[in-house]
Every structure is written in C-alpha cells, then in structure tokens.
Amino acid sequence: MERRYAFQPGDYAIGENEKFYSDMAERGWSLMKRGRWLSRFKRVKPEKTIYRIELASPRIFEDKGLPEEKLSLFEDCGWEFVTSYDLINVFRAPDGSGAPEFYMEPEQQAETLRGLRRSYLSGIAFALAIIVVYTLIFAAMSGGINEFLSSFWEEMLVAAVEETAMLALCTLIIAYGVWQSLYGAVRTAILYKRLRRGEPLDHSPKNRRIGHKVISGALLCLCAVSAALCLVQYIGVDRYKLPQVSDGPYITLEELGWKGERDDPFGNEQEVRVSTSILAEHWDVNEYLLDGDGGVWIYQDIYRLRYPGMCTDLAQAIMCSATFSDMENFVPISIEGADAAWYTRLETVAVCDEYVIYITYSPGTIEENAMEDAARAVGAIISRVTL
Amino acid sequence: MEKQPMSEAMYYVLLALMQPDHGYGIMGHIRELTGGRVVMGPGTLYGILTRLRAEGFITLKEESDRKKTYEITQAGRDALISEYRRLKRMVSDGDILEEVQ
C-alpha cells in the first residue's frame, strides 16, 4: 500500500485543516492518521470528499476522546470517523452524500473552541509559571532578583562563547514554541469571536497566511542550521590525555616548575579538551599533581575569540560566574603582556589580544605569595599565546 | 430574573421528544416536522441534549450499544408548553401586521 506523510496546518486552523484533507483526497490521498505535526495518507482513487473537524472540549483530567454517543450520532448522520489527535477529531463523507453540517448556528460551534483555547492558554501559562518559579528560586539563591538577572546574562554570555550553536538552537526552539502557542491562541480567539458574532466557519479558506508561514519556516530553517552546527561542534571536540609538555596555549604544572606524580583525588581524567564554537576556540585543561606532602592543582579555561572586542565582556562574565569568588572580590593586577588582569583568592582572569585566560590555581603556597604565583602562571600562558 | 426564551433548536428537540427517541431519530423527526426547514446537525443536537439533560428537561430512558434513548420530563413539558404559549401570544400580538399588509 502506497503511503505518504505531509505536514498539516496547526490545530487552530480548523477550516485550513478541512480544506487540506479534502484537497489531498482529490489528489488521490486518503487520510489514515493525524499526528502532532504530520498526517499519514494512503493512495486511493482521487475523489471529492468533504472533511470536517470536531473539537473535543474536555474538562481538566477528562478523556480527550469524543463520547461514544456523540460518535454514533455523527456516524448515523453519514459522517465517517477517520482519526483523532489531541483535541482534533476528523470526520469525512463523500461529496454530495447529504450528510448535514455539524452545527446549525456558528454560535453553537464557538462553544467547541473552549478546550482548544484553554489548551493554548494553559501552555503559555505553564511556560510563564516555570520562568517565574525558576527566577524566584535562583533569585533566592543569588541574593535578589537584580543579582540573579545580572548573573544570568553573564552565564549566558559564557555559554554563548563556549556553545554558540547549542545556545542558538535552544533559544530558537523556545522562540518557535512561544511563537506557535501565541499565534494559535490569537487565531483561536479570533475564530471564537467570529463564530460568536454569527459568522460561519469558512470550510475552504483562501487566505494562505504567508506571514505566519514565512516566520515559522525561517525559525525552523534556523533551528536546522543551528542543529547542524551543534553536530559539527560536537564531532569537532578534541579530548586527549594531558601531555607532559603543553601542545597548546596552556601551561602544565611541570612547566611551572612543579615536580610530582599526576593524580586527581576526585578521580577525574587529567585531560585537554579543545572545542571550537562560532565565536571562539576553547581549551579546557585540568591538572592535579602530588608534590611532597600536599597537592597542587590548576584548572585552565583559555578562549581565543574571533571578535577581540568581546574579550573584556567575557572576562567580566567569567568573574561574575567564578567558582570560588564573587565579582566584587576580584582586584585589578598587573601582569606583563596582559591588556588587563584581575585576581582573587585562587582565581585569576586576564585579557591578552584575542585571548581571555581564566585559571583556578592552588599552588599550595602561603597566602602572601599566592597572587605572585598566579600572575606567574598567567604570564607563562601569555608568553605561549603571544609566541 | 426573567427566563431566557428557548432557542429554536431546543424547542424542536423538546417537541420531538414528546415521543421517546434516540439522537438520529430526533433529527429525522425534526426534519419531518418542519418539512425540511430545520436540518439539525449532529454537533448541535448533541450539545442540546447534554444541556437539556443537565437542566432536567429530558432524561435517559434506555441505553443500548452506543445509542441512548431520551424522553421529556415533566419540567421539560412545562417549559415547552410555556414557550409554546409565549410564541403563540407573540404571533397573536403580530396580527396587526395582517392589517398593514
């Protein structure tokens, strides 16, 4: 049996869906099943068929299917039940069969839109509730709404640099969902008002809604491009065991003069991870060394930005979302070769040309020398990147 | 508060249910009664049956397979007769129009 799938109009477009299925039947494709986005058809002899949609309008937690009695009534009138998905129930009858329209008055049909309207509005309300709850939880953890919003945008900037395509994909998916929900809610509300005013449903609308199609198509294309870029970035990630001598713009503890055996007490692999996003190349290096009585460790995040103008913003964002300190604890320090540098206990951030360097370094020395040690480590990295 | 006038569809459904009947039978009965002027769709009829049942104007007489047979209640009869009298009076009030014509 020859089959095909086709994208169907949205649930809010009742008349467009009816026309879509009728047109397919006239071209020899009979509807078999409706899904979330796609409908399945089978090849048949082309024939004129009338399709009609009846919306279920269940209460909350009620079954979304039509009651048996209602189905039986529709079938007794000559309508064949074809398929249903969510609130949409599709019926058909051969053209000229005399099967009566579902409703005598548009006002009666308007009432069936309540469930669909509720479904769009509850979707939007649910999304808003999640955003509000998320904001409140993190605001409480950050010490206030302003602090949360500030750290949120800083975190987003770091994410945009490290995972540009992934962030773009997530944003576009959310934008597409919000756009579809808002558009569906507005179209349903307009249709409801028209029916309430006594304007009958147009079962064969001519308006092609070009604006909506262009925006939806553009968002979907951008999603596809972002997904492809994500895949390219994911495949392009290079992870390898940390060599004894640095092979990139990072430094090893041995090159800083430490001797000892590499051994991470947390069991993490001591490795180099190199990834390339649309905005930057990123080296992520972790190293832990057992030296005498204690341990020495260094975490390095080194970014090479395609747009050096972003360096200072990224450095600020890194300080804002630093692991061990708050932004206000960082103090400017001078490091040879660096355009700017900031230090706080354990963490140092520096900007040098198109590079942003962020190290978390515990040299195991007494507090007074820690800043000099950190500056020396960053200086060694700068020497490598400016070679 | 004054009672809302009954809709045309409700009036005919109650009228058809002076004899117990199931959904499709009601539709046929109404078509016959109005000489084909009122063709009630299944969506409209199902909505009205649900509403009339909730208001206590009709009740379920029997149920078999997927079909339900309804009959009018005393409250439904009273409402129907009251509506009939209202309509009759409205028509009689309009007798003046005969003279205009």
Side-chain angles (χ1 to χ4, degrees):
Chain A
M1 183 169 53
E2 198 183 347
R3 291 178 179 185
R4 67 168 286 190
Y5 291 83
F7 282 104
Q8 72 225 2
D11 290 358
Y12 51 81
I14 311 294
E16 281 91 337
N17 272 293
E18 292 172 347
K19 183 176 184 317
F20 169 66
Y21 292 136
S22 295
D23 288 350
M24 290 295 282
E26 212 169 337
R27 294 209 300 269
W29 293 103
S30 175
L31 176 66
M32 291 175 73
K33 199 158 181 59
R34 182 183 170 92
R36 181 117 196 88
W37 311 102
L38 294 162
S39 290
R40 190 170 78 213
F41 299 87
K42 67 176 176 186
R43 174 60 92 185
V44 292
K45 202 175 125 210
E47 57 190 1
K48 285 197 167 185
T49 309
I50 299 169
Y51 278 85
R52 289 290 178 263
I53 282 170
E54 173 68 2
L55 289 167
S57 195
R59 291 193 180 89
I60 299 169
F61 304 124
E62 245 183 27
D63 184 14
K64 285 182 178 172
L66 291 181
E68 281 295 313
E69 186 196 5
K70 193 170 187 178
L71 275 175
S72 157
L73 199 53
F74 278 59
E75 284 169 357
D76 286 346
C77 291
W79 290 104
E80 176 200 353
F81 173 72
V82 187
T83 178
S84 70
Y85 186 85
D86 204 22
L87 300 175
I88 300 275
N89 294 276
V90 188
F91 292 84
R92 71 179 156 216
D95 190 29
S97 69
E101 285 296 338
F102 291 177
Y103 293 92
M104 281 170 71
E105 306 291 342
E107 293 90 331
Q108 294 157 353
Q109 190 163 20
E111 297 311 305
T112 65
L113 288 174
R114 284 173 186 271
L116 189 61
R117 202 166 55 154
R118 195 167 51 229
S119 133
Y120 281 120
L121 292 178
S122 59
I124 294 169
F126 183 67
L128 286 175
I130 286 180
I131 291 170
V132 169
V133 169
Y134 177 87
T135 305
L136 288 176
I137 290 173
F138 283 88
M141 287 164 63
S142 316
I145 293 274
N146 288 340
E147 286 76 4
F148 164 67
L149 289 178
S150 160
S151 66
F152 176 79
W153 292 119
E154 303 298 354
E155 297 263 7
M156 283 294 112
L157 180 61
V158 177
V161 169
E162 289 183 6
E163 303 283 349
T164 320
M166 178 60 83
L167 187 69
L169 179 61
C170 293
T171 309
L172 285 164
I173 288 172
I174 291 169
Y176 183 79
V178 169
W179 161 247
Q180 290 295 352
S181 292
L182 283 176
Y183 186 78
V186 170
R187 283 283 308 274
T188 308
I190 291 171
L191 180 60
Y192 179 77
K193 276 189 183 165
R194 282 187 181 155
L195 292 171
R196 290 286 298 170
R197 278 203 304 263
E199 290 177 37
L201 178 75
D202 186 354
H203 296 294
S204 191
K206 301 279 187 297
N207 192 338
R208 295 170 65 86
R209 314 270 174 201
I210 297 296
H212 174 251
K213 285 185 178 168
V214 167
I215 293 173
S216 302
L219 284 171
L220 283 176
C221 283
L222 288 170
C223 281
V225 170
S226 302
L229 289 172
C230 273
L231 193 65
V232 168
Q233 183 173 344
Y234 178 75
I235 292 169
V237 170
D238 192 11
R239 297 178 91 120
Y240 54 92
K241 196 178 168 198
L242 180 65
Q244 285 301 321
V245 180
S246 166
D247 62 348
Y250 61 91
I251 199 87
T252 62
L253 289 170
E254 192 175 306
E255 288 165 305
L256 286 172
W258 296 98
K259 299 269 183 285
E261 192 189 340
R262 280 183 183 158
D263 182 22
D264 189 330
F266 305 111
N268 296 324
E269 278 293 315
Q270 307 208 20
E271 60 175 20
V272 180
R273 183 181 181 276
V274 187
S275 59
T276 306
S277 74
I278 296 166
L279 293 177
E281 278 178 278
H282 176 211
W283 287 263
D284 183 358
V285 185
N286 305 324
E287 188 179 4
Y288 193 96
L289 208 64
L290 282 176
D291 180 81
D293 296 333
V296 182
W297 50 269
I298 185 167
Y299 288 174
Q300 302 171 70
D301 282 289
I302 296 159
Y303 303 88
R304 184 184 188 186
L305 294 172
R306 292 193 203 285
Y307 305 102
M310 291 178 69
C311 282
T312 308
D313 288 337
L314 178 61
Q316 297 283 336
I318 289 170
M319 285 188 276
C320 227
S321 54
T323 312
F324 296 105
S325 306
D326 293 329
M327 172 82 182
E328 57 270 20
N329 296 329
F330 279 89
V331 290
I333 58 167
S334 176
I335 297 177
E336 195 181 339
D339 301 328
W342 299 265
Y343 170 81
T344 184
R345 189 175 165 272
L346 293 178
E347 292 163 293
T348 310
V349 179
V351 175
C352 172
D353 298 333
E354 73 266 42
Y355 285 90
V356 175
I357 299 154
Y358 169 42
I359 66 163
T360 310
Y361 183 31
S362 174
T365 54
I366 53 172
E367 199 80 10
E368 294 88 78
N369 297 333
M371 190 170 86
E372 284 73 23
D373 285 336
R376 196 164 56 86
V378 173
I381 294 168
I382 289 173
S383 312
R384 291 194 66 84
V385 302
T386 52
L387 270 179
Chain B
M1 207 173 83
E2 201 175 321
K3 236 173 37 176
Q4 288 271 328
M6 203 176 274
S7 71
E8 185 183 27
M10 282 172 82
Y11 179 79
Y12 278 113
V13 171
L14 285 178
L15 208 54
L17 282 177
M18 290 300 285
Q19 295 296 322
D21 210 342
H22 55 75
Y24 188 61
I26 297 169
M27 289 164 71
H29 197 159
I30 293 171
R31 188 179 296 159
E32 196 181 307
L33 201 65
T34 60
R37 186 181 65 82
V38 176
V39 180
M40 192 165 286
T44 297
L45 179 62
Y46 185 81
I48 289 172
L49 288 173
T50 308
R51 190 172 156 193
L52 289 175
R53 212 175 149 191
E55 289 178 4
F57 290 166
I58 61 170
T59 186
L60 193 61
K61 184 173 163 57
E62 62 185 45
E63 191 172 354
S64 63
D65 285 340
R66 300 159 80 195
K67 280 193 169 58
K68 289 176 179 174
T69 302
Y70 297 94
E71 67 179 349
I72 195 165
T73 61
Q74 191 53 51
R77 274 174 209 275
D78 294 344
L80 184 60
I81 289 166
S82 160
E83 182 64 7
Y84 169 71
R85 286 187 182 140
R86 190 182 73 82
L87 292 172
K88 204 171 166 189
R89 183 161 178 192
M90 280 173 73
V91 171
S92 113
D93 291 347
D95 280 351
I96 191 173
L97 294 172
E98 294 291 338
E99 291 164 27
V100 174
Q101 284 179 348

